[in-house]
């Protein structure tokens, strides 16, 4: 019994440590960018040793990758919640795309996910991660709309790539203080409506 309790305690300690490291790393990477944040600073902010950081993540890049994955998962959950709030399949699709644009354009998300991630992880790794999260969901939604005859039959892959690229670029553009979210949402909605007329 004692061993089980110790194992649970170690598992909880591990979870607490990794959670603290991810939280502090995310906060620092979002505020100053990957290049301006050191591992010692992250470890101190999390209240652990630098050795603990290396033990759980192995490197700064691995820690950053874990932060990116966390943000991608959260973004996917926000998009799903926004889509689920609508009843009609088309409205669900539009709501999900608009929420991706809103959430992705937030400075702390944008900095990590759209600016630093491609540079730090490399284009191919970043694309693979995006493919496993956002692009996959977008592709599945488009396929469902075509199957339901809400969209006309058409190749899914080019549309997925074009929409994904457009939304990522718009999220980056929205970081500009002169950019207007309502204008971007209106333009995205018009773009999506155009798919139904093709």
């Amino acid at each position: 019994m004692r061993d089980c309790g110790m194992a649970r305690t170690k598992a909880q300690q591990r979870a607490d440590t990794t959670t603290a490291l991810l939280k502090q790393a995310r906060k620092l990477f979002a505020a100053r960018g990957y290049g301006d944040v050191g591992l010692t600073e992250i470890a101190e902010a999390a209240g652990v040793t630098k050795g603990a950081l290396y033990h759980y993540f192995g490197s700064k890049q691995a820690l950053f990758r874990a932060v990116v994955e966390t943000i991608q998962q959260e973004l996917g959950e926000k998009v799903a919640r926004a889509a689920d709030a609508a009843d009609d399949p088309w409205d669900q699709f539009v709501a999900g795309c608009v929420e991706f644009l809103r959430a992705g354009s937030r400075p702390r998300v944008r900095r990590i996910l759209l600016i630093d991630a491609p540079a730090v992880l490399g284009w191919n790794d970043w694309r693979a991660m995006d493919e496993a999260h956002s692009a996959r969901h977008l592709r599945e939604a488009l396929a469902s709309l075509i199957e339901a005859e809400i969209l006309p039959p058409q190749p899914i892959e080019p549309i997925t790539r074009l929409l994904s690229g457009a939304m990522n670029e718009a999220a980056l553009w929205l970081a500009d203080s002169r950019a207007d979210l309502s204008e971007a949402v209106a333009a995205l909605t018009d773009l999506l409506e155009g798919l139904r007329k093709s």
Side-chain angles (χ1 to χ4, degrees):
M1 283 301 226
R2 178 185 255 176
D3 289 343
C4 289
M6 287 178 66
R8 255 189 248 110
T9 301
K10 285 188 177 186
Q12 187 58 52
Q13 287 175 343
R14 179 174 199 259
D16 291 346
T17 301
T18 56
T19 298
L21 285 165
L22 286 168
K23 180 181 177 183
Q24 295 304 322
R26 178 176 179 167
K27 185 177 174 181
L28 291 165
F29 290 146
R32 299 207 319 270
Y34 179 86
D36 289 338
V37 177
L39 288 179
T40 301
E41 183 180 7
I42 295 169
E44 287 175 359
V48 301
T49 65
K50 194 172 174 182
L53 189 156
Y54 277 115
H55 174 72
Y56 291 116
F57 291 100
S59 68
K60 180 180 172 183
Q61 187 178 38
L63 175 58
F64 181 76
R65 175 185 287 276
V67 169
V68 170
E69 287 176 349
T70 300
I71 292 172
Q72 286 179 322
Q73 289 168 356
E74 289 173 3
L75 189 55
E77 290 166 6
K78 286 180 182 178
V79 167
R81 279 195 302 275
D84 289 345
D87 295 324
D88 177 76
W90 178 254
D91 292 339
Q92 289 175 343
F93 176 67
V94 173
C97 289
V98 168
E99 181 57 32
F100 176 87
L101 187 62
R102 281 194 179 112
S105 66
R106 291 187 178 112
R108 292 178 174 269
V109 172
R110 180 190 54 82
R111 173 87 184 235
I112 292 172
L113 200 58
L114 300 175
I115 296 175
D116 284 351
V120 173
L121 303 176
W123 181 251
N124 290 334
D125 282 353
W126 180 80
R127 287 278 312 222
M129 292 176 76
D130 185 61
E131 181 69 26
H133 295 279
S134 301
R136 178 175 59 84
H137 296 302
L138 181 58
R139 186 181 300 104
E140 289 169 359
L142 288 165
S144 294
L145 291 169
I146 290 170
E147 188 177 328
E149 299 182 351
I150 294 168
L151 290 179
Q154 54 196 294
I156 292 173
E157 201 58 33
I159 297 168
T160 302
R161 301 292 177 182
L162 288 166
L163 286 178
S164 179
M167 288 187 285
N168 284 338
E169 183 61 30
L172 285 168
W173 172 73
L174 283 167
D176 185 334
S177 61
R178 293 164 296 168
D180 186 328
L181 178 61
S182 63
E183 287 180 0
V185 168
L188 176 60
T189 303
D190 288 346
L191 180 68
L192 297 176
E193 283 293 338
L195 293 175
R196 296 208 282 187
K197 297 170 186 173
S198 62

